[in-house]
Amino acid sequence: RYHAFMLSSSFQPREFCPPKRLSNKHLQTISGVFLRNDPDCRYVTDVFDIELALRKGNKLLSSISQEPDIFGLFWDDRQRVETPDGDFFHVDWKYHSGSAGGSSGKGGLVVIVHGLQSNSNSSLSVDLGKAYHNQGLDVACINFRGCSGTPNDGLRAYHLGFTDDLLQFLSMLSSSEAKPPPIFLSGFSLGANVVLKALGELGSSAYREYNIYGAAVSGAPFDNERNIHFVQKAGFNKIAYNDSLLKSMKNTALRQLERFEESKEAKLLSYDDIAKATEISAFENAVIAPLFGFRNNVDYYRKTSCINFLDNIQVPTLIINAADDPFFDPTFFPFEKGCDSTTGKKNQSPIKLIRTEHGGHLGFMFHQVQKEETDLLDVSFMPAELARFVKHIFDRRFYLERADSIWQYARINNQRYFGE
């Protein structure tokens, strides 16, 4: 843990600097979905760029009903993984190694976990894939059940704390004949929560059993009991965020309920309760809680929010959030959990916490490029920062390996000494 703490502490983040006129939290959030692939909106360098980006941003805010920017054929291969409960999920691969069967083992592998109602072809998933690929790493993006374009084979899909499929995939990698390469986890929003919860559940076994060297996430919810009141707050938030997400969630749930109306799980659900839900919390009460064994949505938040799992994370981890994220409680941020805080230094926390002033929810668009930032080209600011951290750890992985070798040596000698 000490070496993980030192590696995270040594990472020097860049400052996110959007022009004031392009820093609005809703503009940042929505442009991150619809304009991330637009080179005029990822970065700006002069007054002309700012004016052009401002015109595009204003046009976007006046009509947010357009379809999200979808990149298309970025991934090299798709893998179907059968689950123990008779369902499946898809994993999409991008190979820097050129291997069609997975990572070559010479470089690292980044496993991406997407957000709520997203998938591997979302603009942010692909931008993250590009950022890690640019650093010489293989990338695998897990599509949650029902999110890959193919309906899953059951009513249970995924939720804020659903780590089952991620852990199954990691187990597959670690149990293969060839030793897995250094593995890094990455995720955004709901996927960030899943990654952080999984790392907390695994503790030191993340490295020793699964070869996980670190993680980099953004838009981590921390405490959804606090946040739910903001994402479904009356006004713009409810219309732009709650209603759009809820519509997609309800359509998927009702379609699956019609497909599996004779199943055992269907008896736990009410079609009318799902159809009448006008807030995400009501949907969670109607679908998530009964299907996954929670008493209600509050019980669900308390048992799955990643804030409760941070203390047991043992590998270098970067979390980038924005203070103006419209999805989250702006008065809450766990600074004390980070390696740069007094408490974090005392506890040797391996978590690097970054909270920018602007950025919205997963936006981080219209960054004003500084002279020294020559590597910011075809990916946006936040994915580039996450990839920089992963490369920072990957290039210094020897320190983690040496620390573990010393630990293993001491453990073996203690066993010999005490006759265990």
Side-chain angles (χ1 to χ4, degrees), residues 14-19 22 28 39-46 49-50 53 363-373 376 379-382 385:
R14 292 168 172 166
E15 183 181 1
F16 175 60
C17 301
L22 294 169
Q28 284 285 329
D40 296 324
C41 297
R42 286 197 297 262
Y43 301 104
V44 293
T45 55
D46 53 35
D49 286 344
I50 294 173
F364 301 97
M365 299 287 288
F366 314 109
H367 174 62
Q368 296 183 91
V369 179
Q370 308 302 307
K371 290 182 179 179
E372 66 275 11
E373 296 175 341
L376 295 176
V379 296
S380 56
F381 179 86
M382 178 261 287
E385 281 295 278

Side-chain angles (χ1 to χ4, degrees), residues 18 45 54 61 81 85 92 98 126 182 188 193 209 226 271 280 294 303 332 351 382 386 419:
T45 55
L54 188 60
L61 283 179
V81 180
D85 60 355
D92 290 325
V126 173
F188 54 91
N193 194 89
E209 295 182 22
R226 293 171 175 266
Y271 190 100
I280 291 175
F294 301 107
K303 289 180 176 175
F332 178 75
I351 302 173
M382 178 261 287
L386 298 185

